[in-house]
Amino acid sequence: MSGNVALEVNSPADVPADQQPKKEFVGRSPGQLAWLRLKRDRTASVSAVTLVVLGIIALLSPVITAVRGITPTEQFNDKLNDFSAIPLGYAGGMNGTHWLGLEPQLGRDILAQLVYGMRTSLLIAFASAIVASAIGVVIGIVAGYARGWLDTGINWFIDLTLAFPFLIFALAIIPILEDRFYGDRDAIPASFRVILIISTFALFSWTYTARLVRGQVITLREREFVEAARAAGASTWHILFRQLLPNIWAPILVTLSLNVPAFITTEAALAFLNIGVIEPTPDLGRMIFNSIKYVATDPFYTLWPGLTIFILVLAFNLLGDSLRDALDPKSTR
């Protein structure tokens, strides 16, 4: 049996409205909406890629120096000028072996110092931001949920902490604690100075997060979901950290991202007061401090750590601003 079979294909316009397939609307959570806004933001993408690349370089600093065969403390005095101890050659001694040149006076490889110094600065900044945010969140959420004398006492303590000048306190407390634990003849471990810096940052930086969290909790503590939790017999701990905290994570995350660049620059500033990271631990701030007296004769020694700090701070600030816009529910971006 042969013949042509004609197939009729009905267009969507020919199908009755009640028989057409219904379109499904997919709901998105606030986190998904924020992620979509971030992916569309070119500034956030470039900043995130920059930070990821620099972070990987900092984490792989031992691998980088092992492959190159040059440690950050190794000195190449034979490649320095005998009279002024300035690196021989052009651009601060840059060549195929020392890609960014050598450090004047000591003759250490700048690239090795730079990658290790970036790791030190990021470690201090991230650790300080996390500790300060954790303290601020706990104190702020308790103050916002509490009433009466507890809220008043916490606010008074926050005002008292803000009244202390940070640099003067750091200049006084760090040498005192070092003398307390180590005598004049004892060598102070570099890790001890790093712990002191992180503790000092956290001690003075939790106040901003606490006030932000307190304000957010005050606006949420009378909402229906909190009343429902109370009516169901939920404990105060459950209400604070299982009901309220998940609803205020966005401003906490933005504050955390903006605290990191602030700590990077503050840690570098401590080097100029001689209370920063001590030798032989590489540090970006101390590299800039040591390079000041060689700006006229070897400007490249100042250029590389200064440019690294500038890129890190700029990328973190741009990413923090983009994150704030993405997490804003009223944002049209």
Side-chain angles (χ1 to χ4, degrees):
M1 182 176 179
S2 62
N4 295 328
V5 178
L7 298 177
E8 291 188 8
V9 179
N10 294 328
S11 64
D14 298 331
V15 179
D18 57 347
Q19 297 181 9
Q20 290 185 7
K22 296 182 179 180
K23 296 181 179 180
E24 296 183 359
F25 294 92
V26 179
R28 294 189 176 95
S29 66
Q32 292 174 328
L33 292 174
W35 176 244
L36 289 175
R37 294 192 190 101
L38 275 178
K39 289 197 297 185
R40 290 197 297 262
D41 192 335
R42 293 184 178 179
T43 302
S45 301
V46 174
S47 301
V49 170
T50 302
L51 292 175
V52 168
V53 171
L54 293 178
I56 292 175
I57 292 175
L59 289 174
L60 296 181
S61 52
V63 178
I64 294 174
T65 54
V67 171
R68 297 181 65 230
I70 299 175
T71 64
T73 57
E74 186 176 357
Q75 299 183 8
F76 299 88
N77 295 322
D78 58 321
K79 299 181 180 180
L80 301 179
N81 187 300
D82 294 334
F83 176 73
S84 57
I86 298 297
L88 299 172
Y90 298 99
M94 294 172 58
N95 53 46
T97 303
H98 307 289
W99 298 348
L100 300 183
L102 294 172
E103 177 184 1
Q105 195 69 36
L106 296 178
R108 296 181 296 193
D109 184 78
I110 291 181
L111 179 58
Q113 284 273 314
L114 196 68
V115 293
Y116 270 88
M118 188 163 53
R119 186 177 70 164
T120 302
S121 297
L122 289 175
L123 170 64
I124 292 175
F126 271 106
S128 302
I130 291 173
V131 174
S133 297
I135 296 173
V137 166
V138 173
I139 295 178
I141 201 171
V142 171
Y145 188 75
R147 295 174 175 84
W149 65 268
L150 183 58
D151 186 24
T152 303
I154 292 177
N155 278 318
W156 178 84
F157 184 66
I158 291 175
D159 293 335
L160 180 64
T161 305
L162 289 172
F164 274 96
F166 166 74
L167 290 179
I168 295 178
F169 182 86
L171 187 61
I173 196 65
I174 290 180
I176 290 174
L177 290 178
E178 287 180 346
D179 291 339
R180 173 65 179 81
F181 289 95
Y182 299 93
D184 295 335
R185 299 181 180 179
D186 297 331
I188 301 174
S191 59
F192 184 76
R193 177 66 70 87
V194 171
I195 293 174
L196 282 182
I197 294 174
I198 294 173
S199 302
T200 306
F201 283 165
L203 183 63
F204 281 89
S205 303
W206 61 268
T207 52
Y208 302 102
T209 303
R211 282 197 161 174
L212 175 65
V213 171
R214 176 182 176 272
Q216 294 290 321
V217 171
I218 288 176
T219 62
L220 295 175
R221 66 187 181 188
E222 304 299 336
R223 297 283 293 272
E224 292 80 2
F225 68 93
V226 178
E227 294 293 339
R230 290 198 195 101
S235 63
T236 302
W237 179 270
H238 177 88
I239 294 175
L240 292 180
F241 296 99
R242 299 297 297 274
Q243 298 294 331
L244 291 173
L245 184 58
N247 288 278
I248 58 175
W249 65 271
I252 295 173
L253 185 60
V254 173
T255 304
L256 177 66
S257 65
L258 294 176
N259 276 340
V260 173
F263 288 142
I264 292 176
T265 55
T266 307
E267 186 271 330
L270 292 181
F272 287 84
L273 300 175
N274 200 28
I275 53 175
V277 178
I278 59 178
E279 294 281 5
T281 304
D283 178 66
L284 296 178
R286 197 182 64 250
M287 288 180 68
I288 296 179
F289 175 72
N290 293 338
S291 68
I292 296 300
K293 54 186 175 182
Y294 301 107
V295 171
T297 55
D298 186 10
F300 286 92
Y301 183 31
T302 306
L303 172 65
W304 299 120
L307 184 62
T308 303
I309 292 179
F310 172 77
I311 293 174
L312 281 172
V313 173
L314 179 63
F316 270 115
N317 282 327
L318 292 177
L319 182 61
D321 290 338
S322 299
L323 187 62
R324 179 176 55 198
D325 294 335
L327 293 173
D328 184 3
K330 298 180 181 178
S331 176
T332 58
R333 296 177 62 178

